[in-house]
Structure formats: structure tokens, C-alpha cells
Amino acid sequence: MTDDDVAHPGAVTSGTRPLEGVLVVAMEQAVAGPFATRHLADQGARVIKIERVDGGDFARGFDTLASGLGAHFAWLNRTKESLALDVKTPHGKTVLDALLARADVFLHNLAPGAAGDLGLGAAELTEAHPCLIVCEISGYGNGGPYDSRRAYDLLIQSEAAVVSVTGTVDDPIKPGIAIADIAAGCYAYSSVLTALLARERTGRGCVLDVSMLDAVTEWMGYPLTVSRHGSVPRMVVGMSHPAIAPYDAYPVGDGSRIALSVQNDREWVRLARTVLRRDDLVDDPRFATNAARVQNRAEVDSLVVERLSALDFAAAERLLLGAGLACAKINSVAELVDHPQLTARARWAEVDSPVGTLPTLLPPAPSSGWDVALGPIPELGAHNERILSELGLADTDHATSPSAQAVPS
């Protein structure tokens, strides 16, 4: 492990991380870009985060809820190197050009048109650096009538109809996490990995056009498919599902609720016989198939509520699990922090930061072949001296003087 790594319980500490030796230069702020590059850094890539000299990534100052540090920034920026750079000055442009000449990946979520204004258009970069992978994250993608619009998570969730299926068209509700940003970050991460694999075979880089709208539209799979084939998706409220029944959060006798999902007819048989204790319901044409249960959802839900309301949560959970059915507790976020499964699997680790040691969640899909990198969350400009020295360039006032730069979307 390197000096920047922090050991964590159960970590595998042998084996080369798969992205070691890969240099990623990122001009990013907020969530989508940093989400992608943090996962690249987790797997061993060196990520140099170019930040505005007058405050850096604005997510640093969204709040101070991570023990004095912005919570979004703490979540998404461990293990990266921070280079505070005014890329509009001649010196800043020289530094950036030198970095891009060495980079494997250039990723940005600059505002529409900003990359071209800075001489960082994808066509220019790939012509100058044929092996470079350029990943552009934007709200609406290149081309089309919306390509010049700024985009934020709320706006994309609205355009992509997410808020209408979480709530209704008349009373839309935004999910509590930034799913449009996260979806775009997921596709940027996976697309960069794919492009690196392709470059191993072809020797050439490419341009990746990651649109937040494209990404979250893909996640709209079921209602989008139904609409595309000419039907109107059923609108449901709360935690129910338009195409599955029973599927909801059901009240139990102690005043709490339990989430229950019966996904197929075999599970319905187990629910009817073991939980509801009603053999007669197994072949009842109103309930025997999922389509029939959906049509008779109110009756199905009534049967489930009648049975579970006689039990407290623990008894209901034992009964459902004993019948081989899927159920769950509805946790608060505070309860998630201390979830026994996360604790048992050592999913929390620690990293250093400008405000001291902070807890950090390990990325999904732990590997038996390598550990993840767990370097510090950087102070703004913490790595200027190191990076400029590597490039053979001296630090100057131009590199660190405040100047308005392009703002990522």
C-alpha cells in the first residue's frame, strides 16, 4: 500500500490495482464528473483534479456537514490530487497542455460551449493526442435543440419524467438523491473503462459523449417501454409497483411497516399457504397470476394487511422470511449508517481530509485480487508543487491568482 492508502478491515492488500499507471485529468465539479473519477481513483488511476483557484470545486462549499467539509465533496473526492489552476492564463494553458500530453483520460463536465472556448474541444484534443480518451459529461449531449442548455439534477429529472413516476404528473416528487448526476457518473465511469480496454486493442483513444438525459432515460426502463409501445403506464402511489402485487410497505401491529414484494406466482403460493393460511387463494382466479393480482390489488393488499396487522414487526419478519419471501425494514438514513450488514462486511473505512480523519464508504464489488485506493480528500491546490515539478514547470502567480473560469454544468 502507498502512504496515501488507509488500511481497512478485511481488505486484500496484495495485487496491483487494475488502473495503476492510468492518468486521468479532470475538470469537474459537483457530482457527475467527480462520481466517475472517484471510482477510477478507487481502482488505482491517478486522478488530477483541476480546480478554480478562487474556491475550487463549488461542492467544497455546498455545506459543512462532513465535520466541517462539504458532504458532497467528502463523498466524491478521496484519493485525488488537487491542482489549483487558472487555465485562462498563458501559464495555466501551458500546464494543462503538458498534462494532457501525458494523460490517458481527459474528463470534464464543463458548461455547454466552455470546452471549445478553452481550446479543449474533443476533435482538437483527439487530433493532437490520438491515444487520449476524452469523456464529456453534459446535460443533454452534443447536438439537438437542448445541447446549449445548462443542466442540473433537478432539471434533468424533470425533463426525463422521473419526478412524474415518483409522484404523479399533477404532483411530481423528486427522489431524495441526485439520480441524474449519479446515472451520468456511472455511465462515464463504465464507458471510460470500456474505452481503455478498446485502446489496448486498437492503440487509439476516442470521444465519449455522456448525457445526463440519456443516462437517466435509460433508467426509466419500464414506464418508458410501456409508453413507447403505446400504452399508458399505471400510476401508483407510495411504495407500490404498477406491474407487481403484492408489492408495498404494509402496516404491522406495533405501528411500524414492513416492505414486502411477491415477484412471481410461486411466491404467491407460499404467501397464501404459509403466511395468509388460505389454501383456497392459491388457485383463485382473482389472485393466481400476477396480472390478476395487479387487477385486484386492493383485495390483495387487504388480505396482507389483515394478516400482518395482527403481528409486530419481528414476528411478521420471521413469518415472511420463514416462508421464503422477501421483506425488509424501512430504515432511516441514520439506521443505514449502522446497518448490521454493512458493519459485518466492513463496508466503512477512514480517510484523511483537510478537517481530519473522516469515515468513507467502500465502493461496491470488492475484489479478491486487490484493495481499493483510499487516499486523502485533498485541500485546494494541495498538489500544485508536486505536479508542476513533475512537468518541469515552475509555479507562478498566474497559476494561483483568482480568475473567473468556465463553470461545469
Side-chain angles (χ1 to χ4, degrees):
M1 300 176 72
T2 68
D3 291 340
D4 285 343
D5 293 327
V6 178
H8 57 277
V12 177
T13 55
S14 61
T16 301
R17 297 183 187 111
L19 297 184
E20 285 186 17
V22 172
L23 174 60
V24 179
V25 175
M27 295 183 70
E28 57 177 23
Q29 295 199 71
V31 174
F35 185 92
T37 57
R38 198 218 71 193
H39 283 284
L40 295 169
D42 287 341
Q43 302 305 327
R46 182 185 184 187
V47 176
I48 296 178
K49 181 184 181 79
I50 298 175
E51 298 193 69
R52 297 172 60 121
V53 297
D54 55 344
D57 181 341
F58 59 73
R60 287 180 178 272
F62 273 161
D63 55 52
T64 56
L65 297 177
S67 299
L69 191 63
H72 286 84
F73 192 85
W75 167 37
L76 296 172
N77 288 283
R78 67 184 180 222
T79 319
K80 300 178 185 179
E81 298 175 37
S82 173
L83 175 63
L85 190 68
D86 183 348
V87 299
K88 288 188 172 180
T89 67
H91 180 78
K93 187 67 166 63
T94 297
V95 172
L96 181 57
D97 287 345
L99 280 174
L100 292 175
R102 300 184 177 198
D104 297 286
V105 178
F106 175 56
L107 183 147
H108 73 79
N109 60 330
L110 294 167
D117 293 344
L118 293 170
L120 300 173
E124 299 170 74
L125 289 176
T126 52
E127 182 177 356
H129 310 291
C131 293
L132 183 65
I133 294 164
V134 179
C135 181
E136 301 181 317
I137 303 175
S138 64
Y140 297 98
N142 294 316
Y146 284 47
D147 72 342
S148 63
R149 292 193 182 192
R150 286 181 177 271
Y152 299 100
D153 182 81
L154 169 65
L155 311 181
I156 297 297
Q157 288 202 36
S158 300
E159 292 282 354
V162 174
V163 295
S164 73
V165 298
T166 305
T168 68
V169 173
D170 294 328
D171 188 19
I173 298 175
K174 177 186 174 295
I177 59 173
I179 66 167
D181 281 323
I182 296 168
C186 282
Y187 286 111
Y189 171 53
S190 61
S191 296
V192 166
L193 297 179
T194 303
L196 287 168
L197 178 61
R199 195 183 65 174
E200 286 294 307
R201 297 172 175 173
T202 67
R204 297 190 63 83
C206 65
V207 177
L208 301 169
D209 176 12
V210 179
S211 154
M212 292 167 66
L213 180 64
D214 291 349
V216 80
T217 299
E218 168 69 20
W219 285 15
M220 285 289 288
Y222 171 77
L224 184 69
T225 301
V226 171
S227 293
R228 190 67 181 83
H229 287 268
S231 298
V232 178
R234 296 184 183 92
M235 302 300 293
V236 295
V237 297
M239 293 176 62
S240 59
H241 192 288
I244 304 171
Y247 187 114
D248 211 329
Y250 296 96
V252 294
D254 58 9
S256 63
R257 293 188 299 165
I258 191 166
L260 169 65
S261 172
V262 172
Q263 294 274 328
N264 55 61
D265 298 339
R266 296 183 304 278
E267 292 184 352
W268 168 254
V269 172
R270 295 201 292 272
L271 180 76
R273 286 178 172 162
T274 306
V275 177
L276 303 180
R277 296 182 294 194
R278 291 281 303 275
D279 286 356
D280 60 299
L281 298 177
V282 170
D283 297 318
D284 189 316
R286 296 173 298 166
F287 313 123
T289 67
N290 181 67
R293 291 191 295 277
V294 169
Q295 290 296 325
N296 295 283
R297 183 189 303 275
E299 293 176 77
V300 171
D301 288 346
S302 179
L303 289 165
V304 174
V305 170
E306 181 182 3
R307 178 69 179 109
L308 296 184
S309 62
L311 307 169
D312 63 16
F313 181 88
E317 184 182 49
R318 284 195 303 271
L319 179 61
L320 291 167
L321 293 177
L325 297 168
C327 63
K329 180 184 177 185
I330 302 171
N331 283 317
S332 67
V333 179
E335 288 171 318
L336 174 62
V337 167
D338 295 317
H339 197 289
Q341 188 71 1
L342 297 178
T343 301
R345 298 182 66 241
R347 299 301 298 150
W348 288 101
E350 293 183 335
V351 293
D352 290 331
S353 82
V355 297
T357 301
L358 294 179
T360 192
L361 189 67
L362 296 173
S367 168
S368 63
W370 61 84
D371 63 332
V372 298
L374 290 173
I377 300 163
E379 191 97 58
L380 176 61
H383 300 88
N384 276 41
E385 184 176 349
R386 176 199 298 179
I387 294 167
L388 293 173
S389 176
E390 289 178 4
L391 297 173
L393 298 170
D395 200 355
T396 73
D397 290 339
H398 292 300
T400 56
S401 61
S403 172
Q405 294 191 66
V407 179
S409 60

